[in-house]
Amino acid sequence: MRHGIHPVSRPVVFRDRAAGFQFLTRSTLDSDRTVEWEDGTTYPVVDVEISSASHPFYTGTARVLDTAGRVERF
């Protein structure tokens, strides 16, 4: 890799406040807010609106719509 052209990758906590779910991963995003993780280390935290813990597809609450936009009854 060439030096000086790639963004810095660091550990970041992504938090879904609606579902009370958070996970630690590496990302190039940075945040001014921090959170203390389970291991006692402080990491930057990025709040997201939706994650696999709250998305209807992953939670099994998705509804199927037909082409006219009506909810499938059966």
Side-chain angles (χ1 to χ4, degrees), residues 6-68:
H6 299 284
V8 177
S9 175
R10 65 184 66 78
V12 176
V13 174
F14 285 90
R15 178 173 53 190
D16 182 353
R17 295 187 139 212
F21 177 70
Q22 56 187 5
F23 59 94
L24 177 65
T25 187
R26 295 191 63 84
S27 177
T28 57
L29 290 176
D30 197 12
S31 177
D32 296 334
R33 293 174 299 196
T34 60
V35 66
E36 186 173 331
W37 191 245
E38 300 160 355
D39 62 1
T41 308
T42 303
Y43 295 107
V45 63
V46 176
D47 290 325
V48 294
E49 293 184 22
I50 198 158
S51 70
S52 62
S54 61
H55 193 281
F57 178 79
Y58 294 105
T59 60
T61 59
R63 296 188 301 179
V64 178
L65 300 176
D66 64 3
T67 56

